[in-house]
């Protein structure tokens, strides 16, 4: 395993990182340029990560997906393939873990995992698309979407890997105890719908409905009860992921 943990952006070192790892090995990438990746300086983000960020309440997930797509594209150039196995966001840094293997044929398919997010600031609608159609307005309110990407739009976790981490975690260990909540984060990752590249916040829904936030568990159970997929997200304790569109969520919780 090779760990890249520079001061600031890792983007200048990812070629070297990929060239230095043993094939079949693992890499980890830390980014502390969170302001850039979370949309405070979009032009710098485009230059360093080849994708537009979003400056909103799920920016941390968008940021991690920008790091992974940059890594996947550089890997493809080197006839390598990367697969994300774990990501997390903590304090002022973001971190992604990926496996690296050699496969020209898989590298040819790198764009099947890379696309765009569309986010409507007005009505809260959001979705992922493979191809960017600039002229297409929000299907709910006809406003212009904000666009993020391109970025990684498929899975973030190898669930078996995360399960093994949770089994191995010694909660009596002093260091682990100091990182309070680590086990809870791992369990959340195991159930997380990581194929959905964004999340909603209970506060955000409450604000749109002008009511108090529902407990997350209640929101998730309600979504399940009418046939939608729903889970918590490890990236925000107040966040939930679902394949239900914002209008369906608001109807359900009003
Ligand atoms: Zn809209």
């Amino acid at each position: 395993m090779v760990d890249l943990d520079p001061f600031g952006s890792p983007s200048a070192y990812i070629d070297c990182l990929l060239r230095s790892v043993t094939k079949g090995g693992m890499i980890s990438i830390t980014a502390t340029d969170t302001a850039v990746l979370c949309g405070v300086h979009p032009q710098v983000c485009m230059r360093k990560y080849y994708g537009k960020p979003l400056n909103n309440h799920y920016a941390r997930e968008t940021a991690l997906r920008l790091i992974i797509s940059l890594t996947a594209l550089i890997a493809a150039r080197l006839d390598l393939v990367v697969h994300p196995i774990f990501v997390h966001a903590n304090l002022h840094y973001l971190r992604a873990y990926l496996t690296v293997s050699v496969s020209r044929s898989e590298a040819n398919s790198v764009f099947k995992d890379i696309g765009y997010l569309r986010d409507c600031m007005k009505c809260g609608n959001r979705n992922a698309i493979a191809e960017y159609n600039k002229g297409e307005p929000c299907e709910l309110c006809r406003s212009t979407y904000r666009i993020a990407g391109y970025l990684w739009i498929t899975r973030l976790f190898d669930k078996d890997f995360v399960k093994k981490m949770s089994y191995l975690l010694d909660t009596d260990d002093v260091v682990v105890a100091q990182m309070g909540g680590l086990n809870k984060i791992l369990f959340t990752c195991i159930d997380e719908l990581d194929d959905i590249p964004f999340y909603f916040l209970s506060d955000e829904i409450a604000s749109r409905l002008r009511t108090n936030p529902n407990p997350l568990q209640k929101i998730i159970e309600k979504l399940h009860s009418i046939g939608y997929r729903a889970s918590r997200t490890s990236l925000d304790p107040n966040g939930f992921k679902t394949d239900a569109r914002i209008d369906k969520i608001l109807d359900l919780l009003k």
Side-chain angles (χ1 to χ4, degrees):
M1 176 168 168
V2 183
D3 180 38
L4 173 60
D5 189 2
F7 180 78
S9 174
S11 67
Y13 311 108
I14 291 175
D15 283 66
C16 304
L17 174 70
L18 288 164
R19 286 176 200 276
S20 64
V21 69
T22 310
K23 308 316 173 219
M26 191 192 294
I27 53 173
S28 61
I29 302 172
T30 303
T32 56
D33 56 338
T34 47
V36 168
L37 279 160
C38 292
V40 179
H41 309 291
Q43 281 183 317
V44 180
C45 189
M46 287 285 288
R47 174 165 66 81
K48 288 191 179 281
Y49 295 93
Y50 302 159
K52 272 190 190 167
L54 278 180
N55 185 2
N56 67 2
H57 55 259
Y58 58 92
R60 293 208 290 189
E61 172 150 8
T62 311
L64 283 160
R65 291 178 177 279
L66 284 163
I67 297 168
I68 296 170
S69 64
L70 175 70
T71 309
L73 289 169
I74 294 173
R77 212 179 66 217
L78 303 173
D79 295 337
L80 299 172
V81 182
V82 294
H83 295 286
I85 53 174
F86 183 63
V87 297
H88 69 107
N90 191 24
L91 302 174
H92 302 296
Y93 70 89
L94 302 153
R95 198 164 169 86
Y97 296 78
L98 307 100
T99 56
V100 183
S101 49
V102 183
S103 172
R104 282 185 187 178
S105 58
E106 270 195 76
N108 280 341
S109 308
V110 66
F111 280 99
K112 80 179 185 345
D113 294 306
I114 290 174
Y116 299 86
L117 284 186
R118 300 189 301 183
D119 180 273
C120 177
M121 280 176 81
K122 188 174 176 195
C123 75
N125 189 20
R126 64 205 65 169
N127 48 62
I129 48 169
E131 299 283 340
Y132 173 36
N133 180 347
K134 192 178 178 187
E136 206 175 319
C138 171
E139 75 241 42
L140 293 179
C141 74
R142 314 308 292 170
S143 295
T144 305
Y145 277 121
R146 284 191 303 176
I147 303 292
Y150 39 58
L151 44 70
W152 189 262
I153 54 168
T154 56
R155 292 192 171 277
L156 295 175
F157 301 112
D158 175 335
K159 299 294 177 85
D160 289 334
F161 179 81
V162 180
K163 279 179 196 165
K164 278 181 199 158
M165 282 201 289
S166 74
Y167 298 151
L168 292 170
L169 198 66
D170 178 2
T171 47
D172 294 330
D173 184 283
V174 178
V175 177
V176 171
Q178 283 172 348
M179 298 167 72
L182 188 55
N183 214 17
K184 196 173 166 195
I185 289 173
L186 294 180
F187 279 118
T188 305
C189 294
I190 292 166
D191 292 330
E192 183 164 346
L193 297 172
D194 57 335
D195 58 321
I196 297 173
F198 48 78
Y199 53 85
F200 298 89
L201 293 184
S202 55
D203 303 3
E204 167 198 5
I205 302 300
S207 161
R208 289 191 179 276
L209 291 171
R210 299 180 185 205
T211 177
N212 292 324
N214 277 289
L216 272 187
Q217 195 54 39
K218 189 174 162 194
I219 295 175
I220 289 166
E221 281 167 13
K222 279 191 166 187
L223 286 162
H224 284 164
S225 73
I226 55 168
Y228 288 108
R229 300 162 67 218
S231 77
R232 289 175 185 265
T233 168
S234 56
L235 296 173
D236 193 313
N238 296 315
F240 64 96
K241 296 197 159 204
T242 180
D243 56 351
R245 217 170 52 178
I246 184 86
D247 53 332
K248 306 294 177 198
I249 299 170
L250 294 174
D251 272 352
L252 184 68
L253 299 174
K254 71 184 175 192

